[in-house]
Amino acid sequence: MRIHHKLAHGESLSKREDRYRCPECDREVETKRGLSNHLAKVHRDRWEKLQEDGLVLTLVDED
């Protein structure tokens, strides 16, 4: 994914300032997919409930 992003979008994912924050443990990841994967693996017990509640994955506010 990092190679694709660099080639297709001209920027490194690791240098992006925007991040997605886990609502359960505040871990920050670089993509919505990464956050979905984190939630499904680390917080499996809460993931289904979050989806049922209509969880919206949002960017971390740097302000």
Side-chain angles (χ1 to χ4, degrees), residues 12-26:
S12 170
L13 277 175
S14 63
K15 294 185 179 180
R16 290 180 58 175
E17 292 183 15
D18 54 343
R19 300 275 193 265
Y20 294 86
R21 182 174 291 141
C22 174
E24 296 296 309
C25 68
D26 289 333

Side-chain angles (χ1 to χ4, degrees), residues 1-7 9 13 31 33:
M1 180 59 143
R2 288 185 172 125
I3 293 169
H4 159 78
H5 202 275
K6 176 75 172 167
L7 294 174
H9 305 286
L13 277 175
T31 64
R33 180 67 174 184

Side-chain angles (χ1 to χ4, degrees), residues 39-40 43-55:
L39 287 164
H43 307 291
R44 186 181 315 223
D45 55 327
R46 291 278 299 131
W47 180 229
E48 288 183 23
K49 177 70 172 136
L50 290 168
Q51 288 180 308
E52 289 172 7
D53 290 345
L55 173 71

